[in-house]
Amino acid sequence: MNVAPQDHADERERQQRWFAQLCDDLHRKHSADTDGHVATYIPELATVDPDRFAIAAVTLDGTRVAVGDVEQTFTIQSISKLLAYGLALEVHGRDRVLERVGVAPTGDRFNAIVLDDATNRAPNPMVNAGAIAIADLLSGPGVDDPVESMRAMYERYLGRRPEIDPDVWASERETGNRNRAIAYLMLSRGIIGPDVESTLDLYFAQCSVLVDVVDLATIGAIIANHGVHPVTGAQVVAREVTRDLLTIALTCGMYNYAGEWAYSVGIPAKSGVGGGIVGMLPGAGGLAAFSPRLDPIGNSVRGLRVFEELSAEFEMHLFDPDRPWHRTP
Ligand code: DON
């Protein structure tokens, strides 16, 4: 069937209006949800305003939708694990990374003190053990200033020098003894090197970077776009690495909710205890939600509901046989 270019443009505009309207409606609807609790195990995170709420999308052509507290910054937390994993794959290559960190989802909590029985590896790069092993790789021999390399990575994604929240960074350092336990277990099994405190310092710093919801949607769009920034055209992360990032996000990004998420939402995604969730939809763009009240697994309650409903209404599940591939938010 031949479709005139003007018809395509009209249809695209109609879809964009529909999507923006959906985001508005979902924001209004879920503003009243007060289920869940802000994270308190990192004391500084307990000081955030629990009612903040924002939704954003960035398409592959750079079109942007943003609703709610779009300028509110929050710490990126575990969403950083995806970016750090990408950097480790770029710098060290798959084989070296796979020697220390596997790719299997776990049914355990994100901060479980558990390694693979047979190989001693951390289960996957999205749980704390895996992310700390990745931080160790990124601060290994030959790296003068690991925090600076991490900042440079963020600068490529965000288009500005990242700000690290000094209070959250300090709070994680002071209270992160569970992460210390994980790190020392990995040291005892030869998965990481002996400089545990500087490895943890890098990990805590990467988690404490401040972002807003549009930053998250932009990060999602970059990864969904084979590593190319949809606005600047810059290659932010290597094309071949994005396949691994999307796979890991789909299988492990939402922790022990990953199976349910893949089934009901079907969008590769990553969450953080700061309340952010980023979704990456190949061929379409990046989606993000921010709301600090979390469920017991550590995922944003309103964020989950927004993604579930957006995916269903806009038919975004990756494996939906009727998914309209031409459709972009
Ligand atoms: O190490 C921690 O526990 C935090 N810095 C990050 C955990 C996190 O975001 C888990 N996410 N849902």
Side-chain angles (χ1 to χ4, degrees):
M1 185 176 72
N2 288 327
V3 182
Q6 186 54 44
D7 290 347
H8 273 307
D10 291 349
E11 173 58 12
R12 201 177 142 61
E13 224 172 86
R14 195 187 66 76
Q15 304 244 348
Q16 277 175 358
R17 275 200 304 274
W18 175 27
F19 184 80
Q21 185 62 51
L22 266 178
C23 290
D24 266 340
D25 293 348
L26 287 174
H27 188 269
R28 200 166 316 110
K29 175 176 168 190
H30 291 294
S31 289
D33 294 352
T34 55
D35 294 340
H37 302 281
V38 300
T40 52
Y41 76 100
I42 299 168
E44 196 56 30
L45 288 184
T47 64
V48 303
D49 177 354
D51 289 321
R52 296 294 186 152
F53 184 24
I55 304 171
V58 172
T59 63
L60 299 193
D61 68 2
T63 307
R64 172 196 290 195
V65 173
V67 191
D69 295 310
V70 295
E71 282 169 20
Q72 176 66 47
T73 57
F74 50 93
T75 52
I76 190 166
Q77 293 298 338
S78 282
I79 297 168
S80 68
K81 294 169 179 172
L82 195 64
L83 311 190
Y85 184 54
L87 183 60
L89 288 171
E90 283 181 323
V91 173
H92 295 284
R94 246 194 193 167
D95 292 346
R96 185 123 190 267
V97 171
L98 281 171
E99 279 168 16
R100 300 180 186 210
V101 184
V103 292
T106 77
D108 299 319
R109 285 189 58 75
F110 65 81
N111 56 4
I113 306 177
V114 57
L115 302 178
D116 187 296
D117 271 347
T119 63
N120 283 327
R121 293 184 305 176
N124 69 62
M126 301 295 105
V127 292
N128 290 10
I132 293 166
I134 294 295
D136 184 66
L137 264 179
L138 292 175
S139 49
V143 185
D144 287 344
D145 187 345
V147 174
E148 184 47 41
S149 318
M150 182 272 293
R151 279 189 204 264
M153 172 198 77
Y154 271 113
E155 201 164 345
R156 293 193 286 279
Y157 279 98
L158 301 177
R160 62 169 190 277
R161 190 138 173 94
E163 190 186 337
I164 300 176
D165 184 320
D167 298 329
V168 175
W169 193 5
S171 192
E172 296 215 34
R173 241 191 236 124
E174 277 157 29
T175 61
N177 289 328
R178 196 178 172 93
N179 285 324
R180 275 187 189 93
I182 295 171
Y184 278 102
L185 176 66
M186 290 196 292
L187 172 62
S188 78
R189 303 274 181 90
I191 294 294
I192 67 171
D195 209 349
V196 170
E197 280 307 322
S198 63
T199 291
L200 286 171
D201 211 41
L202 173 63
Y203 170 68
F204 295 143
Q206 75 177 50
C207 289
S208 303
V209 165
L210 288 165
V211 288
D212 63 32
V213 76
V214 175
D215 292 329
L216 285 190
T218 305
I219 289 170
I222 291 167
I223 296 173
N225 197 29
H226 314 300
V228 176
H229 194 298
V231 177
T232 66
Q235 189 77 46
V236 171
V237 55
R239 181 183 168 84
E240 63 275 15
V241 160
T242 58
R243 192 188 84 164
D244 293 345
L245 298 187
L246 291 164
T247 309
I248 285 290
L250 185 63
T251 54
C252 308
M254 303 300 284
Y255 309 113
N256 35 336
Y257 192 68
E260 282 91 338
W261 176 273
Y263 194 80
S264 61
V265 179
I267 299 174
K270 183 75 204 84
S271 66
V273 291
I277 302 181
V278 61
M280 295 143 272
L281 196 59
L287 283 175
F290 161 61
S291 169
R293 286 197 192 86
L294 309 177
D295 67 11
I297 289 178
N299 295 321
S300 166
V301 174
R302 287 176 182 162
L304 286 188
R305 292 178 183 163
V306 165
F307 267 85
E308 257 159 22
E309 289 178 43
L310 268 181
S311 172
E313 288 282 325
F314 212 67
E315 299 169 301
M316 290 192 279
H317 194 294
L318 265 184
F319 307 127
D320 188 327
D322 299 321
R323 180 183 168 213
W325 282 88
H326 61 276
R327 180 179 288 168
T328 58

